[in-house]
Amino acid sequence: MHATKPTSEAIAQHLLAALVRAAHAGKRTNLDELVAEIGVRRAEARATLSALDRQGLVDVLRMRPPMLGFAVGTAYASGPLPELRTSAPALARVA
């Protein structure tokens, strides 16, 4: 079975939640720590963080969410997050 590629929306939710958890703990995080925590490829995380930065939800220079990103990330962190990788259904064999 192959795992499906995570959507950018799911990655964004996990990244925002992780950044909020780090902020609540009073610690700074970096790209490598985020990648290790949520389990996505570095390129996927970087592209998603850049998109979140353009939307004003993350300040990538400080690797922290501004007020709007903190509010959105808090909502994600307080609830269940979507799975990043799900197993693709097995294909039925035709005899």
Side-chain angles (χ1 to χ4, degrees):
M1 274 194 196
H2 295 282
T4 60
K5 182 179 176 186
T7 64
S8 57
E9 292 85 10
I11 295 171
Q13 291 176 15
H14 281 266
L15 287 171
L16 283 169
L19 287 168
V20 165
R21 285 191 298 271
H24 277 292
K27 72 173 216 170
R28 292 220 161 181
T29 189
N30 61 40
L31 179 62
D32 292 328
E33 291 171 344
L34 289 170
V35 166
E37 181 178 341
I38 68 172
V40 296
R41 291 185 207 127
R42 194 172 207 274
E44 293 170 328
R46 181 185 293 161
T48 304
L49 284 168
S50 293
L52 290 169
D53 183 69
R54 286 189 300 274
Q55 295 171 12
L57 295 170
V58 172
D59 178 351
V60 292
L61 294 177
R62 292 177 181 80
M63 203 55 86
R64 294 177 11 180
M67 190 64 74
L68 178 60
F70 195 82
V72 173
T74 299
Y76 290 143
S78 65
L81 292 169
E83 289 187 37
L84 288 172
R85 300 194 191 281
T86 58
S87 296
L91 298 176
R93 289 191 161 200
V94 178

